Each structure stands twice: as structure tokens, then as C-alpha cells.
Amino acid sequence: MLKIYQKYLITNFLGKFLKISLIFLTLTFILGILEEINFFKDTNAGFIYPYFLTLLNAPITLFEIFPFIFLLSTQFLLYELFKNDELNLLKQNGLDNMKIVKILFSLAIIIGVFNVTIYYNVASKLKFYYSNIKNDFSDDNKYLAMVTDSGLWIKDEINNKTLIIKSNYIEDKFLTETIINEFNSNFQLLRTIQTKKVNISDNSWIIFNPIITVENNTENIEGTIKLSTNFNSEKINNLFSNISSFDIIKLFDLKKDYKKFGYSTDEITIHLLRLFTTPVFYGALTIFSIIIMFNFTKNRSLLFHVITGVLLSVSLYYINFIFSSLGNNGKIPVYTSIFFPLFIIIIISIIGLLNINEK
């Protein structure tokens, strides 16, 4: 059974966590609705669409903000304990600072596990529905690309023609073992192009030594031909970059398909590692925030705490963003991009805990 002081701390922390989450969710909705209204202003979509899509997209955005919410929640909790002199009262009843750390750390871990196993999977499904609905109203809805067990499939419409493209493998800016079926506006097959290598660095693809079949007549061409498309290597990469719309199970399936196809799995691996380390990250941030409060901001104003929390949040965000970007670009190892920032926070937290009971 939980003791009275444990219930008190947990209840107060959860109350502040929920209130701050609601504030950020409201801000997310307001900013999101402005973006969606701007997107739908030139469409025939109903009045409700911008609001509905904003609601679908807001939960996954809030998930990215949760680390900052933990920082602020911890700061506001301790600020209230300091302001009301409740910390001294708790100490008189045998509660030292380390026990407070243990309670809040354990609570952060539990919330982190819930957020990853339940909240994220629900939010990612909502994001998936959001992407699908919005794609129906996008100018790019006629350009489709997906990775399956058999490779990369692309549907493209350009110059009143439809291209159905299937490729077995991708390496840097080249497709290998590719078949391109070209149809007219009535979806009648005009020609089939087979090739071992295609340069897709820009929208004008360079096809090497193609084999072209037109009405059962096949021609082998030595050299290259060009094919205009709406795709290039950068656009294809961007199409597969929105991995936040996949739940954990789908992420593993997608990673398996990417490996078969030869597509880089670094971004998926980094995303999965970030998810799996989320509970520890929440716990480390909570301890980090406690240390800051006990050592530097104990007798400061509420405004000072808010500014400190925002500055810490922005700093940690950019540190994680920089390391993730370096990992995605192959500048540093994937595991280093996730574990090094976390390791630094943990080390700082451990050092700060050495004399925590003397504060």
C-alpha cells in the first residue's frame, strides 16, 4: 500500500502533468488548426475537416512534447513544495530528498512505459488516418509509392500518362532491376521498359541499356534514355520519412521490408530506439529537473522556473535533434545518436544526486 506522503506526491505530480499536457494540447490544436485551414482554403472540403484532422494529428505531436512536460511538471511540483514550506514538513516526518527522487523517478518510468505501449500506438494510428485523409485532398494523391516484400512500387501520372514502376533494390540515387509499365489516359499499355540501372537523382530519370517492349516487339538499346517523372531520390526519401504514423509492430514489419529492398533502415532504428528508451529518458529528465530545482532555483519566482524549464526543454530538444540528424545521415553510429545524449543526462543526474539529501 502507498503511504500518505507517496499518494500526496504522486497525486500532485499527476495533476500538474495533466494540466500542463492539456495546455500544450490546446496550443498544439490552435497552431494546427491554422495550418489546416490554410491547407483547405482552396478545396471543396467541408467546414469540419480542418478541425477533425487537427484532432487526429494533435496526439502524436503531444507525444513529442512529453519530455518537456515532465521537466515543467517536476519544476512546478517542487516550486509548490518550496513555496508552501511543505518540504520541511515532509522531512520532519522522515521523508528525505532521495525518497522524493525515487518516487518521482518511478512514476516517470511508469508513465513512460504507458506512453510507449499504449499512448504512442493509438496516436500513431490516428496520425496514419490523418495522413490518408489529407492525401485525398493533396495535389500529390495521384503519386503513390510504397515498399513491400517484392520491392519498391511507384504509381505516377505525368503528361497524360500513367507509370507503374517496380524496382527490386535501391542504392544511393540508383534503382536496380526495374520494370516500368507506361499506360495512356485510357489505361492501355503503351510500352514496357526493363533495365538493371536507373539514375533517379532528379525528375528526369536516366535509364541505362533499357529493353523496350511495344506491342510484343522488343528492342535492346545500348546507352541511355530519359524518362520524365514526378519523383526523384529526395522525394522518395521524404515519402518514407513520416514513420511516426506507424505503430511499433508496423515499424518492425517496415524495417524488415526495407532490409529486403536495400533501403536504409537507420531512421526506423533510431525511431525504435528512441521509443524503447523513452521511459528511461523521462526518468532521467525528472531527476535532472529535481537537481536543477534543489541547486539553482529553489528560492526563485514562478516566472524564473517557467523560463528555466523552457530554456532547458529547447536545449535538450536541439541536442537530441542534432544527434538524431547525424545518425540519420550516417555521420555517427545509430546507437551513438540515441544513447550519447541520454548518457550525458544520466551522468549529470547521478553526479547531482550525490549530495541531494544535504540540499
Side-chain angles (χ1 to χ4, degrees), residues 116-278:
V116 172
T117 57
I118 306 297
Y119 181 89
Y120 171 79
N121 287 305
V122 173
S124 64
K125 288 184 182 297
L126 295 178
K127 176 71 173 183
F128 180 79
Y129 296 140
Y130 165 86
S131 300
N132 280 350
I133 294 173
K134 194 168 183 178
N135 184 64
D136 291 337
F137 294 94
S138 173
D139 292 336
D140 289 338
N141 64 348
K142 58 185 178 180
Y143 315 135
L144 304 175
M146 66 177 62
V147 172
T148 67
D149 289 339
S150 58
L152 173 69
W153 289 85
I154 295 175
K155 174 181 175 289
D156 190 12
E157 294 182 14
I158 188 170
N159 299 329
N160 295 320
K161 296 178 182 178
T162 299
L163 303 176
I164 303 296
I165 303 161
K166 186 261 180 182
S167 186
N168 289 345
Y169 204 81
I170 187 171
E171 185 175 359
D172 194 17
K173 296 183 179 181
F174 293 92
L175 296 179
T176 59
E177 301 296 335
T178 303
I179 300 176
I180 303 171
N181 293 302
E182 185 177 313
F183 299 87
N184 62 18
S185 57
N186 296 320
F187 214 74
Q188 296 173 326
L189 182 62
L190 299 177
R191 62 175 178 171
T192 298
I193 303 173
Q194 301 180 62
T195 180
K196 294 185 178 296
K197 185 178 180 182
V198 183
N199 185 325
I200 58 171
S201 57
D202 56 43
N203 288 12
S204 182
W205 290 9
I206 300 175
I207 304 174
F208 295 85
N209 302 321
I211 301 174
I212 302 177
T213 301
V214 180
E215 296 181 350
N216 296 323
N217 296 317
T218 300
E219 178 184 6
N220 294 306
I221 298 178
E222 295 293 333
T224 63
I225 63 171
K226 289 189 175 183
L227 179 70
S228 295
T229 73
N230 290 297
F231 286 88
N232 53 50
S233 58
E234 182 179 358
K235 183 171 183 177
I236 292 174
N237 287 334
N238 290 335
L239 286 172
F240 300 136
S241 63
N242 191 17
I243 57 177
S244 62
S245 61
F246 295 94
D247 59 37
I248 293 177
I249 294 176
K250 288 183 179 179
L251 284 172
F252 278 108
D253 292 338
L254 188 65
K255 184 178 181 180
K256 189 186 302 181
D257 291 338
Y258 277 17
K259 283 183 176 179
K260 292 179 180 178
F261 179 54
Y263 196 76
S264 174
T265 61
D266 287 351
E267 187 174 6
I268 299 177
T269 301
I270 289 174
H271 190 66
L272 285 170
L273 287 174
R274 183 180 291 112
L275 289 176
F276 293 147
T277 57
T278 289

